Amino acid sequence: MPTHRRAALVTLVASALALGTPGLAASAAAGRAETGATAKVSSDVYVSPTGDDHAAGTARSPVRTLDRARDLVRARAAGLRADLTVHLAPGTYRRTGPLVLDARDSGGNGHRVIWQGTGDATLISGGRRVTGWRRVPGRAGLWSAPAPRGLLDTRQLYVDGVRAQRARGAVPVTLTQTATGYTASSDTIAHWKHPADAEFVYTSGEALWNVERNGLGQWTEPRCRVAAAEGTTITMTQPCWDNSNKRVEFPDIPGRTVSMVGPGKLTDGGKPSYVENAYELLDQPGEWYLDKSAHRVYYLPRKGERLSRADVEAAAAEKLVEGRGTADAPVHDIVFRDIEFGYATWLTPSGPEGFSEIQAGYTVTGDRGWATQGLCQYVEGGTCPFASWTKMPGNVSFAYGQRIGFADDVFAHLGASGLELGAGTADSTVSGSIFTDISGNGVEIGGVDGQTPASGVQVTDNHLYGLPREYHGAVAILNGYTQHDTIAHNQIDHVGYSAVSLGWGGWPDKIGDPATPNPSHDNTVRNNLIHDYMQMLDDGGGVYTQGLTGTSLADGEKVTGNVIHDQWGLGKSVYTDNGCTYETVEGNVLYHASYANVASRHTDYRDGLGNNDPTLVKDNWWEEGTADGDNKGLVTTGNQIMAGLSDVPAAVLDAAGLEPAYRHLLDRRIGAVSVPEAPSRVGTGTAGADALWVTFNPTFADGGSPVTGYTARAYDTAGRQVGEASVSAAEFKRTALIRLGVPATPVTVTVTARNAHGESAPSLASAPLAPTAAHTLPAAPTGPKLRTAATAATLAWTPPTDTGDARVTGYRVTVSDGRDPVEVTGRDVLVTQASAKGMFRVIGGLLPGTRYTVTVAAVTAAGVGPAATVTATTGSTAPQGQVVGN
């Protein structure tokens, strides 16, 4: 056994024993058996892709399929005297449906059934290999192959483990929304080969940067398929269309939906951001299309790809493993170790239901979902509990599973959520595993539908990154209504939306009602390292929580010891959203967020006292600098302003993220190295009479090689390139802008990302915009404050509402000690302006007991505007976070 795997196993065993998790002490026996300390028991089962299901299942005569192995286990499990191991030889175990496990397949007598693989060499796959590639006559660069037998549909194709992009592009017509879809400006779509394959995607953006806002909230990306296109009439599939456009609103609260989550219909006239899955859109390397009627797959290879020798996999099965326990007969004492799960799909979004998103991959479903689903007491016939919408399924899933373990596994190339530990899951573990290249959520725990809550689930020492790849409102770890769960020592990086999302049902506080009662308590999120999160969507956080988390601060949720930094979208480091009650945020290191490190003030509507939801924000290192105090139950105390990481004890930083025995996970590469995914949400603004500012969401799926830079290209209305500019990835991370020289005519802009392997396909184009001269300076920022410590201060301000004739691209801060002006740039400059959210920056290197005057002025293409001024005194004994206004 490799040294690092032996160390990881020892750590897992020690952790299980130390935590006293019921049934997990038996892992020590498994470790001894694996290292040869005890003899192999005769009940073990051996499986090989070259085996024979008529064989005995011994080491010399292995069976071939997982189902046959399960049946042999079932016959032997009743009288276990030691752990029973199913040894999976290296190779690919292809599935057309799930390996179904129930109570009969469980361990017993204190022992477990261990499905043991050989790491990267053991793959449980839902894929079907695509072979027989030929060039398509008359289409330069395009290849096609017959679809594998039995493959009726799929949403994912992979080439040597690299996800291909379903053919996509701009909607080729102007659309006007109707009750059932759209009226188009021409019949172009009706003349496509298969218009009913096309899927409209709705992504929100920042309106001030020339990006449409047409989703169901900035945290969502709904999708609905075209049902038919006849002439200029486009009919959308039902119920997806109604579920995305008819959500019930309160009759006496204009614009407030009864769901209380986002708008009642697709915004900006319901116009899609782009269209996906049409043969006519195949125009970029890495794009593919499945012609279901002709039973052929089309693909435009990327540079260097040779289809004659490539492993091309179409995801076919929707489930790989499914544990079907019940409350009366749980499935229990089963472990999956050193196995890769991959190439599974999820076809519901391609059908009539589509993907009518609410939040975090939950959707509104059913023929009248918009009218009743999860609306409980607020509408006649509403289903309960409130907010019990439909959860995205897991490609590997367990319900009512007890003492289920996943260790040293890989979840990659998946089309739904990676791993779902659903209702009734108890005392189960996920450790030492990798979750990446997943369409939706990485790990899902519990649910929100009123069934038995998950409890005692530990998700520890995993690396989750480069997700979600398709449903961009999904999160890395989703935790619903649960008890005694621990999410600890994980590294979560380069994710499109929130990293960890806990809790549910807090939205009724928007109308003055208390959060939905739920069974959650004693959940902990601790010592995780989270960075480069919210890379695509907005209004989330590194750790996002809403709803009741317990019955008191003693048993409420604990968010402790995490290091969370470098947020891209609009949000917070730790986001305590609607109805979040009894949460403790303590001892975290929080920096480089857009407008708050901790968002925490919401009125507690469980009584009429007007207090805030009880929350404790204590002893964090942060940049926000809010003063100590007790704001009607919101207690802030002992937090320290950090001007840099040197202000944080090294032990705190070292304790976050993967523990030493698991840090080898960071060096593992999944799939072939490839070019990055294209950037997204490209927006433009004037930079003067001869240039545009270009901003976009950076690539969070880097192809296995870090992104080194970006290139923006401008095109006139005839499609001719009229401008180009590049920037390094480091510079773009600092400024969030590229200055692009262009002629004084309307242009669209695309952006590519590059790494050591090459350049990505171009992004979808921005909306047209012509540069204009900027002459009017912005107004001064408002509400400046200095929140002082002894040697540092947080300068806070609100962006000006009047920006003149250009957009704010930065701020200039001066400090009266004579240092050079501080130039404030970055993504938060752009997103806080659009939302009028406050901003803050830390000024370090100050002297104790010294009076300072600080100014802040907005910068646009017209120049530097007037400054706002604030004065305050530091002091060696001043309370941390003392606030002084002007």
Side-chain angles (χ1 to χ4, degrees):
M1 178 191 297
T3 302
H4 65 74
R5 292 205 180 279
R6 187 180 302 116
L9 177 62
V10 170
T11 302
L12 175 65
V13 172
S15 298
L17 292 171
L19 290 166
T21 306
L24 289 185
S27 62
R32 290 193 298 271
E34 191 174 72
T35 56
T38 61
K40 294 292 184 183
V41 294
S42 60
S43 59
D44 281 3
V45 175
Y46 291 80
V47 196
S48 170
T50 60
D52 183 348
D53 275 356
H54 296 289
T58 63
R60 292 187 176 182
S61 300
V63 297
R64 183 176 61 85
T65 67
L66 304 182
D67 302 88
R68 180 56 181 157
R70 175 205 57 199
D71 294 343
L72 292 176
V73 168
R74 186 173 291 177
R76 304 173 187 183
L80 290 184
R81 297 182 179 180
D83 287 350
L84 189 162
T85 300
V86 181
H87 300 271
L88 303 181
T92 298
Y93 297 83
R94 294 190 181 273
R95 306 293 307 174
T96 58
L99 170 66
V100 176
L101 303 174
D102 60 31
R104 296 170 293 174
D105 308 304
S106 304
N109 301 325
H111 303 293
R112 303 173 304 165
V113 174
I114 301 172
W115 294 75
Q116 177 69 57
T118 51
D120 296 338
T122 303
L123 169 65
I124 298 178
S125 171
R128 305 294 299 276
R129 191 165 188 181
V130 185
T131 60
W133 292 95
R134 297 289 185 269
R135 293 183 184 274
V136 176
R139 285 291 306 269
L142 185 63
W143 292 65
S144 76
R149 176 177 293 182
L151 179 70
L152 302 179
D153 199 2
T154 184
R155 295 179 64 88
Q156 294 86 28
L157 188 78
Y158 302 86
V159 181
D160 288 329
V162 177
R163 181 180 292 237
Q165 170 64 54
R166 286 207 306 175
R168 67 174 183 173
V171 181
V173 292
T174 300
L175 297 175
T176 302
Q177 189 172 359
T178 66
T180 58
Y182 301 95
T183 299
S185 57
S186 75
D187 62 355
T188 299
I189 293 179
H191 290 291
W192 283 359
K193 289 178 67 174
H194 303 293
D197 285 349
E199 186 171 285
F200 287 173
V201 185
Y202 305 85
T203 298
S204 295
E206 293 118 29
L208 288 182
W209 283 91
N210 198 32
V211 179
E212 296 171 342
R213 304 183 71 159
N214 48 11
L216 288 165
Q218 294 181 67
W219 55 93
T220 68
E221 192 179 68
R223 296 165 170 261
C224 287
R225 184 172 57 79
V226 171
E230 299 176 357
T232 60
T233 299
I234 296 177
T235 304
M236 303 299 290
T237 55
Q238 294 287 12
C240 185
W241 184 250
D242 282 353
N243 286 339
S244 303
N245 285 288
K246 284 188 174 181
R247 296 181 183 178
V248 181
E249 296 184 358
F250 286 106
D252 55 344
I253 310 177
R256 173 67 70 198
T257 60
V258 175
S259 72
M260 301 175 227
V261 189
K265 61 183 178 181
L266 296 167
T267 53
D268 198 29
K271 293 181 292 186
S273 304
Y274 61 94
V275 60
E276 193 172 275
N277 200 41
Y279 176 84
E280 289 74 12
L281 300 176
L282 280 167
D283 61 358
Q284 297 297 332
E287 288 187 335
W288 70 279
Y289 170 73
L290 171 64
D291 188 329
K292 291 181 288 186
S293 62
H295 209 59
R296 293 199 70 83
V297 181
Y298 293 87
Y299 180 63
L300 272 170
R302 299 179 177 97
K303 183 179 179 181
E305 290 178 335
R306 298 184 64 180
L307 297 182
S308 60
R309 64 177 61 175
D311 176 20
V312 182
E313 300 280 344
E318 295 190 76
K319 288 275 190 181
L320 300 176
V321 177
E322 186 172 14
R324 297 178 182 173
T326 67
D328 294 330
V331 56
H332 58 88
D333 297 290
I334 298 175
V335 173
F336 292 86
R337 182 183 293 143
D338 273 324
I339 297 171
E340 181 171 346
F341 301 92
Y343 303 111
T345 190
W346 177 40
L347 297 178
T348 296
S350 297
E353 290 285 5
F355 190 72
S356 181
E357 190 170 21
I358 283 278
Q359 185 171 314
Y362 277 86
T363 57
V364 177
T365 60
D367 288 342
R368 286 182 55 82
W370 59 272
T372 61
Q373 190 180 25
L375 301 186
C376 202
Q377 70 269 30
Y378 294 107
V379 299
E380 184 176 353
T383 61
C384 297
F386 176 75
S388 54
W389 296 297
T390 302
K391 183 174 62 175
M392 182 186 299
N395 292 129
V396 177
S397 67
F398 276 80
Y400 292 95
Q402 297 179 2
R403 298 176 297 280
I404 305 299
F406 289 87
D408 301 322
D409 298 313
V410 173
F411 295 79
H413 319 318
L414 297 172
S417 293
L419 173 61
E420 177 188 4
L421 299 176
T425 302
D427 302 322
S428 298
T429 61
V430 184
S431 64
S433 298
I434 291 175
F435 294 79
T436 189
D437 190 24
I438 297 169
S439 290
N441 298 312
V443 179
E444 295 180 339
I445 312 169
V448 299
D449 56 4
Q451 296 183 15
T452 305
S455 63
V457 176
Q458 300 175 41
V459 179
T460 59
D461 285 295
N462 303 285
H463 187 199
L464 304 97
Y465 68 98
L467 60 89
R469 296 296 301 276
E470 189 173 0
Y471 311 108
H472 294 118
V475 303
I477 300 176
L478 177 66
N479 189 97
Y481 294 148
T482 64
Q483 302 169 356
H484 297 286
D485 283 1
T486 298
I487 299 170
H489 286 293
N490 302 285
Q491 177 166 322
I492 305 174
D493 61 88
H494 295 90
V495 292
Y497 181 50
S498 296
V500 181
S501 181
L502 299 92
W504 205 249
W507 294 287
D509 79 351
K510 292 176 179 288
I511 61 167
D513 283 357
T516 303
N518 72 77
S520 293
H521 60 80
D522 290 290
N523 293 311
T524 299
V525 183
R526 61 174 174 81
N527 299 107
N528 298 284
L529 173 59
I530 297 170
H531 64 88
D532 293 287
Y533 60 99
M534 292 181 63
Q535 296 282 286
M536 189 168 178
L537 299 185
D538 293 312
D539 202 6
V543 177
Y544 172 92
T545 304
Q546 57 142 304
L548 297 168
T549 75
T551 62
S552 67
L553 283 172
D555 72 357
E557 181 181 307
K558 306 295 189 297
V559 179
T560 63
N562 303 284
V563 175
I564 304 174
H565 65 90
D566 287 290
Q567 173 191 114
W568 190 258
L570 180 68
K572 300 96 174 174
S573 307
V574 178
Y575 193 162
T576 55
D577 203 4
N578 299 111
C580 181
T581 305
Y582 297 127
E583 178 164 329
T584 297
V585 182
E586 181 175 2
N588 303 282
V589 181
L590 312 172
Y591 62 100
H592 294 174
S594 61
Y595 73 92
N597 289 138
V598 181
S600 50
R601 195 199 67 78
H602 289 277
T603 301
D604 185 351
Y605 291 106
R606 294 175 300 164
D607 53 40
L609 300 178
N611 293 323
N612 292 317
D613 291 325
T615 308
L616 176 62
V617 183
K618 178 182 179 183
D619 294 340
N620 300 285
W621 290 266
W622 63 359
E623 296 174 323
E624 187 173 341
T626 301
D628 288 358
D630 183 346
N631 182 5
K632 298 181 178 180
L634 165 58
V635 177
T636 306
T637 180
N639 302 289
Q640 301 182 51
I641 296 173
M642 55 177 287
L645 290 180
S646 60
D647 294 337
V648 182
V652 174
L653 300 173
D654 291 343
L658 298 171
E659 295 176 280
Y662 296 93
R663 289 176 186 167
H664 63 276
L665 296 178
L666 302 178
D667 299 325
R668 292 185 66 179
R669 190 176 72 206
I670 308 301
V673 176
S674 179
V675 298
E677 187 176 67
S680 62
R681 299 171 77 192
V682 179
T684 53
T686 188
D690 60 351
L692 293 178
W693 289 115
V694 181
T695 187
F696 52 89
N697 284 72
T699 296
F700 59 88
D702 62 13
S705 177
V707 173
T708 57
Y710 299 95
T711 298
R713 296 179 176 90
Y715 299 89
D716 65 17
T717 54
R720 295 171 300 215
Q721 184 176 326
V722 293
E724 180 175 319
S726 296
V727 67
S728 70
E731 180 66 8
F732 182 72
K733 188 171 186 176
R734 186 182 71 83
T735 65
L737 291 168
I738 299 178
R739 192 177 192 278
L740 177 62
V742 296
T745 59
V747 298
T748 59
V749 177
T750 65
V751 182
T752 59
R754 62 183 179 273
N755 62 11
H757 198 74
E759 189 173 30
S760 75
S763 68
L764 296 165
S766 68
L769 185 69
T772 57
H775 303 290
T776 306
L777 294 174
T782 60
K785 293 180 175 62
L786 276 182
R787 301 164 179 167
T788 62
T791 59
T794 296
L795 171 65
W797 70 92
T798 301
T801 55
D802 180 3
T803 66
D805 47 15
R807 306 302 183 194
V808 173
T809 58
Y811 293 90
R812 178 166 295 179
V813 174
T814 67
V815 185
S816 59
D817 58 9
R819 71 182 72 184
D820 292 336
V822 177
E823 301 297 331
V824 176
T825 60
R827 183 66 166 183
D828 54 344
V829 172
L830 313 184
V831 297
T832 54
Q833 175 193 347
S835 57
K837 299 291 186 182
M839 290 190 63
F840 56 88
R841 282 294 188 277
V842 173
I843 302 169
L846 304 180
L847 298 174
T850 304
R851 190 167 180 79
Y852 289 92
T853 297
V854 178
T855 71
V856 56
V859 180
T860 71
V864 181
T869 303
V870 62
T871 300
T873 301
T874 60
S876 58
T877 59
Q880 187 69 233
Q882 172 184 322
V883 178
V884 181
N886 57 345

